[in-house]
Amino acid sequence: MSEIRFYVTTTEKNANRILDLMSFAFGEEDFAIATTEVDEKSDIWEASIYLMMDEEEEVLPRVQELLAEEFPDLPVQREVIPDVDWIAKSLEGLKPVRAGRFLVHGSHDRDKVQPHDVAIEIDAGQAFGTGHHGTTAGCLEVIERVVRARKVRNALDLGTGSGVLAIAVRKLLPVPVLATDIDPIAVRVARENARRNQIVDGIDFRTAPGFHSTAFREHGPFDLIIANILARPLIKMAPQLVTHLAANGSVILSGILAEQRWKVIAAYSGEGLSHVRTIWRNGWVTIHFTQGQG
C-alpha cells in the first residue's frame, strides 16, 4: 500500500510551530512528522505528516482541525510517495550540528570535523535522532555537563531512536550503556550507527516496551538516565523511571514542549528529584534532574 503525506507550505518559523503542534497531537501514535527546507532564499518550508493511504480519512480532518486556529489560511496538500524512505528524503543535505563539544554530522560532512570535536556520524535512516532536532541537541549539551560534574558508572538511553545519545555517552566515558526502544527497527539502526562510529562494545541495544524487560534489572540501577521521548509518557513513567536511578544519579529528559515543562518538573520533583537546569532550543526544552543535591 502506498504511503502519502499531508503537508503545508509556509515559512521556517511557521513550519517549526506546526511541527510542534503535530508532535504534540500525533507524537504518541505511529505517524512520522518532519519539516523540509524548499527554498532557503525565499524562506519556503514544508511541514509534513506521513501515513499510509488507508489512514487518510482519519488523519486529514485531524490535521485540518489542528491548523484551523493558528493557520486557517494554509491549505493542506496531499502527495502520494510510494516506496520512498521519507526520513532520508526529509533529512537530505542537513548541515552538521554542534552541541557543546559534540558535532553530529552525516557521512558527507566528515571533512567538517575538527581535532577537538567529539564527532558522531549519523545519516538519515529509519530511526529518529540525527541531532538536528532541538531535543536531541539539548540532551547532548546536558550529557556533556553531567559527565564533567558527576561520576557516571553506567547509563540508560530510554527510547534510543538512532542511538545518538547512547553513542555520545560511550564516546565520552568507557562505561556500560543500555539503549532501549520499543521499535525493533530503531534498535537495529542504532546498533548499526554505533558500529559506524567505531563502537563495537559497551552499548547493549535492546527492544523493550516500558520497563518490563529484564535488561533494566540486569544493568541498573543507573547513574545517568536519558529519556528523549514526549512529555505525557515521561510524566506517566516517572515513578518507574526513578526506581531505576542510582543514589545521587542524574536524569535528562527531553521531547518536551516549553509549555509542558512545569508538569514534567512537578512529576519528577514529586518523586524526590531536584531540578538542576532547563535547556531551551527551538520551542523544546531539555530538563536535568538529580537524585540528591545537584
Side-chain angles (χ1 to χ4, degrees):
M1 181 177 296
S2 294
E3 191 175 25
I4 65 172
R5 71 171 177 130
F6 293 129
Y7 67 98
V8 294
T9 303
T10 183
T11 63
E12 179 181 9
K13 179 180 178 181
N14 288 345
N16 285 332
R17 173 57 182 160
I18 292 167
L19 178 68
D20 291 348
L21 292 172
M22 290 198 295
S23 297
F24 183 75
F26 294 98
E28 294 186 34
E29 302 175 55
D30 191 22
F31 297 111
I33 301 162
T35 58
T36 308
E37 185 180 56
V38 178
D39 187 326
E40 181 179 6
K41 290 183 179 180
S42 301
D43 190 24
I44 299 174
W45 284 66
E46 291 175 352
S48 309
I49 181 168
Y50 295 79
L51 55 144
M52 303 309 294
M53 194 170 286
D54 63 350
E55 298 168 316
E56 180 172 1
E57 291 185 4
E58 186 262 332
V59 173
L60 180 57
R62 293 175 62 189
V63 173
Q64 292 170 329
E65 182 180 1
L66 192 70
L67 300 176
E69 182 175 349
E70 293 188 40
F71 305 98
D73 299 325
L74 282 183
V76 179
Q77 302 176 74
R78 176 183 184 274
E79 180 187 14
V80 178
I81 45 173
D83 302 320
V84 173
D85 182 343
W86 64 265
I87 298 179
K89 182 178 177 66
S90 66
L91 297 180
E92 283 174 359
L94 287 177
K95 298 176 182 178
V97 168
R98 186 172 296 283
R101 290 171 57 210
F102 292 108
L103 185 74
V104 185
H105 65 91
S107 56
H108 58 285
D109 277 321
R110 290 173 185 165
D111 60 329
K112 304 296 194 304
V113 178
Q114 301 299 313
H116 63 281
D117 290 336
V118 179
I120 302 176
E121 183 175 305
I122 304 287
D123 278 328
Q126 291 178 289
F128 286 106
T130 62
H132 293 80
H133 196 278
T135 61
T136 309
C139 286
L140 290 170
E141 288 186 34
V142 182
I143 286 170
E144 185 181 357
R145 293 188 186 194
V146 170
V147 166
R148 284 203 309 260
R150 302 173 72 90
K151 185 173 181 61
V152 175
R153 290 160 294 196
N154 64 347
L156 166 64
D157 179 13
L158 188 69
T160 193
S162 68
V164 62
L165 301 178
I167 293 167
V169 173
R170 185 67 185 174
K171 286 219 167 195
L172 289 182
L173 291 173
V175 300
V177 181
L178 173 64
T180 67
D181 203 285
I182 62 174
D183 182 359
I185 294 176
V187 172
R188 175 178 59 79
V189 171
R191 189 177 291 114
E192 292 170 356
N193 284 334
R195 287 195 292 264
R196 178 193 295 266
N197 284 273
Q198 291 78 52
I199 296 174
V200 296
D201 56 27
I203 305 178
D204 185 3
F205 293 100
R206 298 278 193 100
T207 303
F211 284 100
H212 304 300
S213 170
T214 58
F216 299 104
R217 293 191 297 275
E218 293 168 10
H219 289 270
F222 302 93
D223 292 313
L224 173 60
I225 298 177
I226 310 151
N228 181 10
I229 308 176
L230 287 169
R232 283 179 285 181
L234 286 174
I235 292 169
K236 185 177 180 180
M237 69 174 60
Q240 287 180 295
L241 188 150
V242 173
T243 63
H244 292 280
L245 185 66
N248 300 313
S250 291
V251 174
I252 301 172
L253 305 178
S254 200
I256 304 161
L257 293 168
E259 58 266 29
Q260 299 170 320
R261 68 192 185 281
W262 296 116
K263 292 182 180 179
V264 177
I265 290 171
Y268 284 83
S269 297
E271 296 298 326
L273 300 191
S274 301
H275 174 222
V276 179
R277 66 175 59 84
T278 298
I279 299 280
W280 297 65
R281 269 184 178 249
N282 303 324
W284 296 83
V285 298
T286 300
I287 307 174
H288 176 203
F289 298 93
T290 60
Q291 181 78 270
Q293 298 300 314

